[in-house]
Amino acid sequence: KQWYQRRVAITAGGSSKLSVKERRELARQRKKEEAERKRRDRDDEKRRHKEEEERKLREEEEMKLKRAERDAELAAERQRELGRRKEEEAKRRQAKLDEKDRRRRDEDKMLDAKRKLEEELKRRRAAEAARLEEIERQKELLLEREKEEQQKRKEEAEAIRAQMEEEMAREMAEYERKV
């Protein structure tokens, strides 16, 4: 403490009359302080450098973490997108299948309706043919009856004429007998 006060006194412009021993001691002390200051500066520099390195490492780690999070989010988004696309594709395929089924059902309905119409047409044609056949048969029966009646009338007329001729012949015979 004493030498420090002297030093302060010297640096403050005080007396510079120091003994050789004191000057040496002072020089040694200055050297020691300078070495100490340099060591502290080096330590500070090392510490600052170390802190800078640590800061850089932390930032790199944070960047890596952020990148990993971003990559994970992108991957999740891609998965969601892929899932959505798959779902849409499945819906499209299902819609196509449904459309195919609907068309097939419509076609089946049309074919069924066509078949029913054809059956109805066949039935009507058969009924019409049977009706026409019945009409023909009735016509033939009527013609047959008419022929029979004509024949009957003819026979009756013939019988009447024969009877009349017979009566006339009888009357003529009676008349001739009277005359």
Side-chain angles (χ1 to χ4, degrees):
K1 197 173 180 181
Q2 205 177 20
W3 72 269
Y4 181 73
Q5 286 171 346
R6 275 191 174 187
R7 182 176 169 214
V8 169
I10 295 166
T11 52
S15 159
S16 63
K17 290 179 180 176
L18 293 170
S19 68
V20 174
K21 191 178 180 185
E22 284 175 331
R23 279 199 304 268
R24 278 185 191 152
E25 182 62 33
L26 198 59
R28 197 167 28 87
Q29 202 60 37
R30 269 195 215 124
K31 213 175 183 181
K32 204 175 178 183
E33 283 175 4
E34 188 65 27
E36 182 64 29
R37 189 181 55 73
K38 281 183 179 175
R39 190 186 58 73
R40 270 197 314 271
D41 287 351
R42 271 196 315 272
D43 285 354
D44 286 351
E45 185 61 32
K46 278 183 184 175
R47 188 176 40 73
R48 274 196 305 278
H49 186 69
K50 191 177 179 185
E51 285 173 357
E52 184 66 23
E53 285 295 314
E54 285 174 354
R55 187 184 60 75
K56 280 183 183 174
L57 281 172
R58 267 196 316 277
E59 284 176 358
E60 277 181 29
E61 282 300 313
E62 284 174 10
M63 288 287 283
K64 280 182 186 174
L65 202 66
K66 282 180 184 174
R67 196 177 303 122
E69 284 174 0
R70 202 168 52 244
D71 288 349
E73 201 157 310
L74 283 171
E77 183 60 35
R78 276 196 299 269
Q79 276 306 114
R80 282 193 296 272
E81 181 66 21
L82 192 67
R84 196 171 51 74
R85 281 187 190 154
K86 278 185 180 175
E87 200 174 301
E88 284 174 1
E89 184 60 32
K91 279 180 185 174
R92 268 197 302 276
R93 271 199 306 273
Q94 190 59 47
K96 275 186 184 175
L97 286 172
D98 291 349
E99 180 63 20
K100 234 181 188 177
D101 285 350
R102 190 187 59 75
R103 277 200 208 120
R104 194 177 295 122
R105 279 195 306 274
D106 288 353
E107 219 172 87
D108 288 350
K109 281 180 187 172
M110 280 173 59
L111 288 172
D112 195 40
K114 187 179 175 187
R115 185 181 49 74
K116 282 180 180 173
L117 279 172
E118 285 172 351
E119 284 174 3
E120 179 65 17
L121 194 62
K122 277 183 189 174
R123 191 186 61 74
R124 284 185 183 178
R125 281 184 183 155
E128 185 65 20
R131 196 174 67 80
L132 287 172
E133 238 178 71
E134 181 61 25
I135 289 171
E136 271 305 307
R137 200 176 62 72
Q138 290 295 329
K139 239 164 63 173
E140 283 176 13
L141 280 173
L142 277 173
L143 281 172
E144 186 97 10
R145 269 197 221 126
E146 217 173 287
K147 276 184 187 175
E148 284 174 5
E149 281 179 22
Q150 254 183 353
Q151 186 65 33
K152 220 187 226 180
R153 279 196 303 271
K154 198 177 180 184
E155 285 174 2
E156 282 175 4
E158 200 60 42
I160 290 171
R161 194 170 47 81
Q163 195 179 1
M164 280 177 70
E165 277 179 8
E166 202 176 294
E167 272 183 39
M168 271 182 67
R170 228 181 322 171
E171 281 179 16
M172 282 288 282
E174 246 180 70
Y175 179 74
E176 277 179 12
R177 226 182 341 178
K178 282 182 184 175
V179 171

